[in-house]
Amino acid sequence: MQFKNIAFIAILSILFFTGCGDSKVNEDGKTEAKIQTKFQLSNIDGTTFTINKEGEKLIFDLPKKKIVLLNFFGTWCNPCIAEIPHLNNLINKYPKDLEIVAVSLDKKNEKQTTNEALESFKNKYNIQYKVVNSEENYKLASALGEIKTIPTMFLIDKKGNIKQKYTGVIPEEMIETDIKKELEEK
């Protein structure tokens, strides 16, 4: 009788510990964690938009389909600051075809940097593109394979395909060459 009680408790424990959580079992019988695929990003101006991750694609809920340069940055990062004039040049050269979304990965004392601090940073460096600030920023970075170095940028075509990943400071001419290549592939 005591053996049955121990077995019952053991089985109950196994069911309890394996029955909870955000995971599913795939076709191979392996457990997979549930991965977030929808991200609500907040511009520092108060507007929001959504990015849906559909497989390897990133679909932006923006008014017009454009090539998107998704830029992960920090206000404390000197290379991130150095690339701002180059990104401004690109957005000014391709206003109808390019959207730049700067994704803040700033935290102070484990708290998200305020929109006011980012607005001040944007004004100081004359940033002419979107700057987003929310906890969703970190979830998006994680969904893209963890951003370990900043600046990190992704060039995404109008259909949502990630065409290029840039890590570190990249010459403006290289990014522009990739943009022109995508524009030619209409």
Side-chain angles (χ1 to χ4, degrees):
M1 184 67 174
Q2 188 174 11
F3 176 75
K4 286 183 181 180
N5 288 340
I6 292 172
F8 177 74
I9 291 172
I11 291 171
L12 190 59
S13 296
I14 291 170
L15 289 174
F16 175 76
F17 288 113
T18 59
C20 300
D22 282 344
S23 63
K24 64 178 183 176
V25 177
N26 67 16
E27 296 168 357
D28 299 335
K30 296 180 182 175
T31 303
E32 297 177 350
K34 185 177 179 184
I35 298 170
Q36 181 173 339
T37 58
K38 187 174 186 175
F39 306 91
Q40 186 77 30
L41 299 183
S42 300
N43 290 318
I44 60 174
D45 67 6
T47 61
T48 61
F49 65 95
T50 303
I51 299 176
N52 288 303
K53 188 168 188 305
E54 298 175 3
E56 296 299 313
K57 291 185 175 192
L58 291 177
I59 308 301
F60 289 76
D61 177 23
L62 295 170
K64 183 179 181 234
K65 293 292 181 199
K66 295 182 178 184
I67 295 169
V68 177
L69 191 58
L70 192 61
N71 175 22
F72 291 89
F73 80 102
T75 59
W76 47 267
C77 167
N78 288 328
C80 299
I81 293 168
E83 74 183 1
I84 292 169
H86 304 289
L87 297 178
N88 282 340
N89 288 342
L90 291 170
I91 199 74
N92 289 324
K93 285 181 184 178
Y94 303 97
K96 294 179 182 175
D97 298 304
L98 178 66
E99 187 77 55
I100 297 176
V101 178
V103 181
S104 171
L105 294 182
D106 273 6
K107 277 196 175 185
K108 291 187 178 183
N109 301 324
E110 297 301 314
K111 292 185 179 180
Q112 188 71 25
T113 299
T114 65
N115 284 351
E116 293 78 22
L118 284 173
E119 185 70 40
S120 176
F121 178 80
K122 182 177 181 176
N123 292 336
K124 179 179 180 179
Y125 293 102
N126 192 31
I127 296 174
Q128 299 172 22
Y129 43 88
K130 289 180 179 11
V131 176
V132 296
N133 186 38
S134 68
E135 287 297 323
E136 292 284 295
N137 293 9
Y138 298 93
K139 294 173 184 176
L140 177 60
S142 180
L144 292 172
E146 292 294 331
I147 306 299
K148 297 184 188 312
T149 303
I150 56 173
T152 293
M153 292 186 283
F154 294 88
L155 183 67
I156 302 154
D157 71 12
K158 292 179 181 184
K159 295 177 183 174
N161 299 301
I162 297 173
K163 301 304 265 187
Q164 249 346 309
K165 178 181 179 182
Y166 309 102
T167 303
V169 177
I170 303 298
E172 178 182 335
E173 298 79 14
M174 183 176 166
I175 299 169
E176 185 172 15
T177 298
D178 292 337
I179 291 168
K180 286 179 180 177
K181 182 178 168 188
E182 289 310 311
L183 290 173
E184 291 170 1
E185 292 184 13
K186 286 183 178 183

